[in-house]
């Protein structure tokens, strides 16, 4: 993992993020964070007006997932990805639903997009892995700050400790967030979504043939995990309904996932970039012992 002396340092191998961000269970945690991001009106407007999430949801999802993985496992490529994202967002500007001008790289907006990952990880890990100890929570936050630096966010625009983060987060929930158009679309169960357009051809053909039958159940599942793995105070701030019955169902589902995923072979348990990074790290450790 080569890092330039001028580049921010990525989260370390063996850290909290290294252990969980590339695990397939992370796929269940990301929708909550993405939905929380677009609950800020400026961010929601930027996605509504400039993103291809409606016309190319699978491509956008694939690119977003690769980007997140690069921040943690990419080494020098992670820093390059951070620079690419800032360049990409330079032209994203407009007016939000309240008539207020926005620019994607406004530090308040850009840092919020980054900030949502920490509370969503912290909450969902209780279900899908195990609750963090106080020391692990502090370590996770310190590593998330490292990710923020990779994204080009200045320290002055990020709360620097867990103790500073939670008042900031509660203030955002109380004063800034709302169920924007994009939030409502992301948790809707009747939004039109095209059949997957990537992957092995036989699989795509089968999915295309069965898509009208599969989509309603998949949409309900997406909404279920999005709302379920969102921190309860964020869920409440957005007016998202969540019943005791749904909570019990989420706990049962999470228990099954938490039991089965660690039994999978590494090629199935970890996403490609994480798998490659883990292999490189093992090889480097073995070479250093020779």
């Amino acid at each position: 993992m080569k890092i330039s002396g001028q580049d921010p340092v990525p989260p370390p191998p063996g850290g909290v993020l290294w252990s969980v961000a590339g695990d397939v269970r992370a796929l269940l945690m990301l929708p909550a964070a993405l939905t929380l991001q677009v609950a800020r009106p400026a961010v929601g407007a930027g996605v509504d007006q400039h993103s291809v999430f409606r016309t190319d949801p699978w491509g956008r999802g694939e690119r977003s997932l690769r980007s997140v993985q690069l921040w943690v496992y990419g080494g020098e490529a992670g820093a390059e990805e951070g620079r690419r994202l800032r360049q990409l967002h330079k032209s994203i500007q407009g007016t939000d639903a309240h008539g207020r001008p926005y620019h994607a790289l406004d530090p308040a907006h850009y840092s919020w997009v980054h900030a949502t990952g920490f509370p969503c990880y912290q909450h969902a890990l209780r279900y899908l892995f195990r609750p963090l100890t106080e020391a692990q929570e502090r370590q996770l936050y310190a590593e998330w700050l490292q990710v923020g630096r990779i994204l080009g966010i200045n320290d002055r625009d990020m709360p620097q400790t867990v103790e500073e983060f939670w008042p900031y987060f509660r203030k955002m929930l109380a004063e800034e967030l709302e169920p924007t158009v994009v939030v409502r679309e992301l948790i809707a169960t009747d939004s039109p979504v095209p059949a997957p357009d990537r992957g092995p051809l036989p699989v795509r053909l089968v999915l295309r043939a069965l898509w009208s039958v599969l989509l309603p159940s998949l949409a309900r599942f997406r909404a279920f995990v999005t709302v379920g793995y969102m921190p309860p105070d964020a869920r409440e701030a957005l007016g998202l309904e969540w019943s005791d019955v749904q909570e019990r169902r989420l706990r049962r589902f999470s228990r099954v996932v938490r039991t089965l995923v660690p039994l999978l072979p590494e090629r199935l348990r970890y996403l490609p970039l994480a798998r490659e990074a883990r292999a490189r790290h093992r090889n480097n450790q073995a070479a250093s012992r020779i």
Side-chain angles (χ1 to χ4, degrees):
M1 183 183 293
K2 181 182 176 184
I3 304 294
S4 164
Q6 301 300 313
D7 287 336
V9 178
V16 178
L17 273 177
W18 179 273
S19 301
V20 304
D23 189 293
V24 293
R25 286 171 282 185
L27 297 174
L28 295 169
M29 298 188 277
L30 290 176
L34 295 172
T35 303
L36 201 52
Q37 290 170 8
V38 297
R40 184 160 192 161
V43 180
V47 171
D48 184 31
Q49 297 162 13
H50 297 273
S51 174
V52 296
F53 81 99
R54 295 185 182 97
T55 56
D56 183 24
W58 303 103
R60 185 182 187 274
E62 184 179 68
R63 291 188 294 273
S64 296
L65 180 60
R66 177 175 173 78
S67 188
V68 172
Q69 296 292 292
L70 283 172
W71 307 341
V72 179
Y73 302 105
E76 191 173 67
E80 180 58 36
E81 175 66 5
R83 289 189 286 271
R84 185 191 72 82
L85 288 174
R86 291 191 69 84
Q87 184 65 34
L88 178 69
H89 286 79
K90 279 185 176 181
S91 62
I92 297 178
Q93 56 187 315
T95 304
D96 70 17
H98 300 285
R100 299 173 299 200
Y102 71 84
H103 191 287
L105 290 181
D106 181 307
H109 306 326
Y110 203 59
S111 61
W112 170 249
V113 171
H114 161 258
T116 57
F118 172 69
C120 289
Y121 268 123
Q122 190 258 7
H123 177 66
L125 286 173
R126 301 175 185 177
Y127 293 83
L128 294 167
F129 289 77
R130 65 181 65 86
L132 296 174
T133 65
E134 181 178 343
Q136 288 171 331
E137 182 175 325
R138 290 180 182 280
Q139 182 180 354
L140 174 61
Y141 191 72
E143 292 173 3
W144 202 242
L145 289 178
Q146 290 177 271
V147 169
R149 296 177 190 119
I150 288 172
L151 294 174
I153 303 173
N154 291 317
D155 278 1
R156 65 175 177 271
D157 296 317
M158 299 183 289
Q160 290 298 290
T161 65
V162 171
E163 288 80 7
E164 293 175 3
F165 176 82
W166 291 117
Y168 157 78
F169 184 63
R170 288 191 291 269
K171 186 174 187 294
M172 290 293 298
L173 296 183
E175 300 178 6
E176 297 288 342
L177 304 194
E178 61 185 54
T180 63
V181 169
V182 182
V183 167
R184 293 195 294 271
E185 284 191 44
L186 291 178
I187 62 172
T189 57
D190 57 356
S191 297
V193 178
D197 59 357
R198 54 209 62 224
L201 179 60
V203 174
R204 279 186 283 144
L205 292 175
V206 171
L207 287 174
R208 190 178 305 166
L210 298 176
W211 194 241
S212 61
V213 176
L214 296 174
L215 179 57
S217 295
L218 291 173
R220 288 192 295 270
F221 177 74
R222 178 189 64 182
F224 175 68
V225 297
T226 298
V227 179
Y229 291 127
M230 186 177 293
D233 48 355
R235 191 192 299 151
E236 183 179 352
L238 296 179
L240 303 180
E241 295 183 358
W242 188 252
S243 67
D244 291 341
V245 171
Q246 288 173 305
E247 179 65 22
R248 289 194 293 272
R249 190 180 307 149
L250 182 72
R251 290 180 182 274
R252 288 195 299 270
F253 169 74
S254 301
R255 188 160 53 247
V256 171
V257 173
R258 190 171 65 239
T259 301
L260 293 181
V261 170
L263 302 177
L264 295 174
E266 188 171 35
R267 70 180 185 279
L268 297 178
R269 179 176 174 180
Y270 293 99
L271 299 169
L273 285 176
R275 197 166 59 241
E276 293 166 10
R278 291 170 64 87
R280 283 197 306 272
H281 181 59
R282 284 196 300 269
N283 290 338
N284 291 339
Q285 285 185 314
S288 68
R289 290 194 293 266
I290 296 175

